Amino acid sequence: MLRTEMLLHRLDEIGKSLERRGGALLLLGVGSVGIETARLDDYSDLDFFVIVRHDQKSRYIDHLDWLEEVHPLAYSFKNSEIGYKILFEDGIFGEYAVFEESELINGSYTEGRVVWKDPSYNNTGISKPSNPIPSPKKDSLDHPLNEALTNLYVGLGRFARGERLSATRFVQGYAVDRILSVLHLIEQEVDYFPDPFGNERRMEKRYPRFAKMIADMIQGYDHVPESALRILSFIEEVYPVNRKLSDEIRRLAKISCR
């Protein structure tokens, strides 16, 4: 069986286990095992929500026998009050959360796919949130790109001081993140499963032109000045950068390269 088939089959089997155990109302697949199965591949995880009756939540959180019944677990980690990250013995990794219906009615989450439901439960509309997750994309270049420029300035100062880890985060992390938040305003986005939780997801397919440049913007721990100069050059191509600020960024980069 292909790994992608294993993932979907495992989710179906979890639904059957919920049915046998009782107390559950709905199983939703989310992410690549949800409504986006077209992007499912050998590196996908098993992400799902379990909606249970109001008196069953602690049972499904505190006891993992309903998962062990499907396939033995090699590892489990309670990463929140309502769910776990798990690894089955056959290498399938998953993450899930357990909710009561009332907790999702006004919640913000990505739309899910109904994998299984109790025959008596009719509110399958809960698979689609009433309050979608706010987009991480920004609608103007001004604030994000000016933030990116100041990230470069601060980061280069820290690099010159010897704070290389902080500098790396400011330049190759924060500044790049600011650019990603407005990249749709700079380059035509390819419609390929944008993620409401992070602009970096599937960036290589969504923005192929920018993807060819980004390696020069993230050159690593010892090459913060070089990365900063490439980022500055990119911003200057798409936005009217304050001349004094760009001069100061280049001055700091030159000092840091010594």
Side-chain angles (χ1 to χ4, degrees):
M1 186 182 295
L2 297 175
R3 173 142 178 121
T4 52
E5 294 173 343
M6 287 176 62
L7 287 166
L8 296 176
H9 178 70
R10 182 62 46 82
L11 200 54
D12 289 338
E13 291 299 307
I14 290 172
K16 293 175 183 177
S17 176
L18 293 173
E19 185 170 14
R20 288 190 295 270
R21 294 276 169 174
L25 298 172
L26 194 69
L27 173 63
L28 293 179
V30 294
S32 60
V33 293
I35 62 172
E36 298 182 352
T37 54
R39 66 175 177 87
L40 192 65
D41 61 24
D42 289 343
Y43 308 100
S44 295
D45 302 328
L46 202 61
D47 298 315
F48 58 95
F49 292 167
V50 180
I51 293 86
V52 299
R53 299 186 188 280
H54 72 278
D55 59 345
Q56 297 292 312
K57 185 174 177 181
S58 61
R59 171 190 170 191
Y60 276 100
I61 292 175
D62 296 338
H63 304 284
L64 306 185
D65 51 352
W66 54 283
L67 290 170
E68 289 276 4
E69 179 181 301
V70 174
H71 198 89
L73 291 171
Y75 170 81
S76 63
F77 161 56
K78 190 176 182 182
N79 68 311
S80 73
E81 290 301 313
I82 59 172
Y84 280 77
K85 292 183 178 180
I86 55 175
L87 179 68
F88 290 99
E89 285 283 3
D90 60 0
I92 289 179
F93 181 82
E95 182 174 0
Y96 69 90
V98 179
F99 299 96
E100 294 181 7
E101 181 185 49
S102 60
E103 295 174 309
L104 286 182
I105 289 176
N106 295 312
S108 294
Y109 51 95
T110 57
E111 183 177 355
R113 175 177 64 89
V114 176
V115 177
W116 168 87
K117 78 176 189 70
D118 183 276
S120 66
Y121 187 68
N122 297 315
N123 187 19
T124 55
I126 202 170
S127 63
K128 189 171 184 178
S130 57
N131 296 308
I133 297 168
S135 172
K137 297 177 181 178
K138 305 302 181 182
D139 57 9
S140 171
L141 297 178
D142 293 338
H143 185 271
L145 292 189
N146 279 292
E147 279 288 342
L149 291 165
T150 57
N151 291 153
L152 298 181
Y153 180 85
V154 172
L156 286 169
R158 295 189 181 183
F159 189 89
R161 187 186 293 130
E163 297 182 52
R164 293 196 171 198
L165 177 58
S166 180
T168 301
R169 288 179 173 172
F170 266 81
V171 172
Q172 300 180 42
Y174 306 150
V176 171
D177 284 345
R178 301 295 188 271
I179 292 173
L180 291 177
S181 73
V182 293
L183 200 50
H184 62 290
L185 302 176
I186 299 170
E187 177 182 345
Q188 181 67 43
E189 181 179 3
V190 176
D191 185 16
Y192 190 79
F193 304 111
D195 192 318
F197 296 105
N199 286 307
E200 75 282 358
R201 295 300 306 276
R202 295 171 283 280
M203 181 277 295
E204 292 79 4
K205 290 188 177 181
R206 293 166 50 222
Y207 300 105
R209 186 174 68 86
F210 184 75
K212 295 177 181 178
M213 311 174 195
I214 198 166
D216 291 333
M217 301 180 187
I218 306 177
Q219 297 184 42
Y221 185 80
D222 292 322
H223 297 282
V224 172
E226 296 89 340
S227 300
L229 289 174
R230 183 63 186 94
I231 293 169
L232 175 61
S233 175
F234 174 79
I235 295 176
E236 288 176 329
E237 292 172 5
V238 300
Y239 187 78
V241 176
N242 177 274
R243 179 61 181 272
K244 178 62 177 177
L245 182 57
S246 65
D247 287 346
E248 285 298 302
I249 291 170
R250 287 191 167 88
R251 180 183 67 82
L252 282 171
K254 184 176 181 180
I255 291 173
S256 300
C257 283
R258 290 174 183 172

